[in-house]
Amino acid sequence: MTLQKRQWYKNPLVLDWLDVLAILAWGILLLNYWLTGKLTLLLHPRFFGLNFLAGVILLLIGGLEAWKLLRERRPPPVRHLTLFPPGWMSGIFLATACLGLLVAPRPLMGQAAMQQGISDPLTLTRVQPQAFRPSTRPETRSLIDWVRTLNVYPEPDTYTGQKAKVQGFAVHSPQLPDNYLTITRFTIIHCALDAYPVGLPIKLAQSRTAYPPDTWFEVDGRMITETLNDKRQLVIQAKALQPIPAPKNPYAY
């Protein structure tokens, strides 16, 4: 009895079912993220269809393999010895999928932005200029539109006096004076792994302590040119900062 208890995990049938459960769990995880909208925190929308297709294929493969195991009447083949314990990889995949179902993904926020460093629009190369679509009304530009505009036309005086209304979360950059914060958003190219923050300095009429980090704001103001850290930069002179709910999709594209 003791030997059987120790050896159950080496049973080829158990190992086959472990493989099947891992495949099914990952199919369920991918479709769950797609159905619940959590996928917006992980992938660029252009890959949503691919994610859905992968989930369906995994469920079909897992279902077919489960059906074959249920119909199998002869003893399963003996597995050959490998460098690692049998079933260890499927066990890791299954545990990872279960963890993904139990723990919801969270959007990247201020701490991640501080660690990566908020990209300077004047030296930014990852926000491609060809993606910029100019607007006849500056106040309709989003934060990422302003960054793309500066990437193409970097002279800050060009925009002095223009109205601005942008949304993002507050970051208290230690390199800026106490009456400045940075309004920030993350942008992604493929997935959350390549996400990086972009932002613009906001000049306040009071200390930034009145505006908690990671809080989402809509900033209404005008563009001015300021010298910060010995560099001329485009800055939004804020007239109003209105707290807003965090958007369902916090990333910019």
Side-chain angles (χ1 to χ4, degrees):
M1 180 64 67
T2 303
L3 181 61
Q4 290 179 351
K5 287 184 178 179
R6 290 178 179 174
Q7 298 297 322
W8 68 268
Y9 60 87
K10 294 184 179 179
N11 187 323
L13 185 59
V14 172
L15 298 177
D16 287 340
W17 273 109
L18 189 61
D19 293 342
V20 170
L21 290 176
I23 294 172
L24 290 174
W26 269 96
I28 293 172
L29 177 65
L30 295 181
L31 293 183
N32 174 266
Y33 280 174
W34 179 76
L35 289 171
T36 59
K38 297 175 184 176
L39 208 56
T40 58
L41 303 179
L42 301 172
L43 285 179
H44 192 288
R46 72 167 68 98
F47 300 110
F48 285 4
L50 184 61
N51 175 90
F52 175 79
L53 181 62
V56 171
I57 291 175
L58 287 174
L59 286 183
L60 289 176
I61 293 174
L64 179 61
E65 290 300 315
W67 179 76
K68 289 169 61 178
L69 287 176
L70 290 173
R71 289 178 55 88
E72 187 68 57
R73 299 194 178 277
R74 64 178 184 274
V78 177
R79 298 194 173 206
H80 297 288
L81 294 176
T82 60
L83 180 62
F84 298 100
W88 72 278
M89 185 175 292
S90 295
I92 291 176
F93 286 162
L94 178 59
T96 304
C98 292
L99 187 63
L101 290 169
L102 294 174
V103 180
R106 300 180 61 183
L108 297 169
M109 294 296 287
Q111 185 62 33
M114 296 288 286
Q115 291 175 352
Q116 294 189 32
I118 300 173
S119 300
D120 183 354
L122 302 184
T123 59
L124 194 61
T125 58
R126 289 177 290 184
V127 178
Q128 297 298 327
Q130 60 266 29
F132 166 64
R133 293 184 292 272
S135 171
T136 56
R137 300 175 57 199
E139 62 269 26
T140 63
R141 292 175 185 155
S142 66
L143 180 62
I144 193 67
D145 286 336
W146 276 108
V147 171
R148 285 170 175 157
T149 303
L150 283 170
N151 199 32
V152 178
Y153 307 107
E155 173 51 54
D157 288 344
T158 304
Y159 313 100
T160 298
Q162 293 187 6
K163 294 181 179 179
K165 181 179 286 188
V166 297
Q167 296 180 348
F169 59 88
V171 173
H172 292 184
S173 303
Q175 294 83 9
L176 296 179
D178 184 62
N179 63 325
Y180 285 81
L181 60 79
T182 306
I183 200 73
T184 308
R185 293 194 77 158
F186 274 88
T187 182
I188 62 175
I189 300 174
H190 302 102
C191 66
L193 290 177
D194 60 33
Y196 59 94
V198 295
L200 287 174
I202 308 297
K203 187 175 183 179
L204 309 169
Q206 57 185 317
S207 171
R208 63 190 178 196
T209 55
Y211 307 97
D214 291 341
T215 303
W216 282 80
F217 292 99
E218 181 175 80
V219 182
D220 190 1
R222 288 186 179 272
M223 291 299 188
I224 61 174
T225 300
E226 293 278 285
T227 300
L228 300 173
N229 300 320
D230 299 324
K231 182 167 55 178
R232 294 171 62 253
Q233 296 188 38
L234 191 66
V235 174
I236 301 178
Q237 175 75 65
K239 292 194 300 183
L241 269 78
Q242 180 66 35
I244 59 173
K248 183 179 180 181
N249 186 354
Y251 299 135
Y253 308 109

